[in-house]
Amino acid sequence: MDFVEVRVLAPRELADILVAELAEVGYDTFEDHDEGFCAYIGEGDFNPDAVAEVMARYSGIGTLDYSHRIITRQNWNAEWEKNFQPLVIADKVSVRAPFHPKPEPIEYDIVIMPRMSFGTGHHETTALMIENQLGVDHAGKRVLDMGCGTGILAIMAAQLGAREVLAVDVEPWTVENAADNAAENHCTNIECRLGAWKCWKGKRRLT
């Protein structure tokens, strides 16, 4: 399956609102850039009228422009290899792709190949979640990562000592990506499942 990238040029205060609006019409992957952000959706789900409607709703608030292009699935990894930069969160967590060297010294090292999944730590939401995890006692706990994307938060939980981690997402390629990333990080206690919240119903409550 191919994907559509919608590249949005907007000030930060408006970009955050537009991300939320586009998420409501099916966009589930976002990447910040210096002038705004990019949003991604499967080509079959792309509706240019829906995008135009969202943009028109906020066109009077600030400088706003957008364009779109098709990205074939086979060149998605090449796009990430070209643009994905390693980062360090809270001076303790390194997030990098397999082709980046591990920084030294670092307490936690997470290797992520994002493909078409959300969650590299570059978006403020993910970075803040990781920073918050550092202050939570995970030792011996069972953790649920709902809407796992790349599996980055599940991997962080495993590295922080969680006994068992269940990572769930609704997209097949995302679950596959999360499982590959868990294996890349030698996290044998992460189970990746396809489905919504009901897919873990019936198991003991995760705490």
Side-chain angles (χ1 to χ4, degrees):
M1 178 176 63
D2 293 340
F3 301 89
V4 173
E5 175 192 81
V6 176
R7 183 177 179 84
V8 179
L9 306 181
R12 172 46 50 199
E13 61 274 12
L14 182 54
D16 290 340
I17 297 173
L18 293 172
V19 165
E21 290 279 9
L22 289 173
E24 288 295 319
V25 295
Y27 290 79
D28 59 4
T29 304
F30 301 90
E31 178 190 9
D32 290 335
H33 58 75
D34 291 342
E35 298 176 292
F37 66 93
C38 293
Y40 300 90
I41 194 170
E43 186 180 16
D45 296 321
F46 175 61
N47 183 343
D49 292 337
V51 177
E53 181 180 342
V54 169
M55 298 303 168
R57 199 177 304 151
Y58 295 93
S59 60
I61 297 179
T63 303
L64 175 61
D65 195 11
Y66 69 97
S67 60
H68 75 272
R69 63 169 179 153
I70 295 175
I71 298 180
T72 59
R73 189 173 186 186
Q74 57 263 32
N75 72 11
W76 178 251
N77 283 351
E79 288 292 319
W80 272 108
E81 289 191 19
K82 183 173 64 177
N83 297 305
F84 180 27
Q85 297 299 314
L87 75 159
V88 174
I89 298 172
D91 296 324
K92 290 186 176 182
V93 183
S94 165
V95 182
R96 61 186 177 91
F99 47 84
H100 294 135
K102 177 183 176 181
E104 297 290 352
I106 202 72
E107 191 169 354
Y108 302 101
D109 182 43
I110 300 178
V111 179
I112 293 292
M113 179 55 78
R115 299 181 194 159
M116 197 59 201
S117 305
F118 177 83
T120 62
H122 291 78
H123 193 280
E124 186 177 4
T125 303
T126 309
L128 286 173
M129 284 296 296
I130 290 175
E131 191 167 349
N132 181 69
Q133 282 182 274
L134 292 172
V136 176
D137 180 14
H138 288 65
K141 303 291 178 60
R142 303 174 70 230
V143 176
L144 171 66
D145 183 359
M146 181 62 69
C148 63
T150 62
I152 186 172
L153 301 183
I155 293 166
M156 185 77 263
Q159 291 195 7
L160 287 169
R163 181 177 87 254
E164 179 182 343
V165 184
L166 177 59
V168 178
D169 208 288
V170 297
E171 299 290 355
W173 68 83
T174 297
V175 174
E176 178 185 340
N177 185 202
D180 288 345
N181 286 330
E184 178 72 30
N185 288 271
H186 310 291
C187 296
T188 58
N189 59 338
I190 296 178
E191 178 186 354
C192 299
R193 286 192 189 178
L194 175 65
W197 67 271
K198 289 184 179 180
C199 79
W200 66 276
K201 189 175 182 181
K203 293 193 71 172
R204 300 193 313 277
R205 183 177 179 84
L206 296 172
T207 57

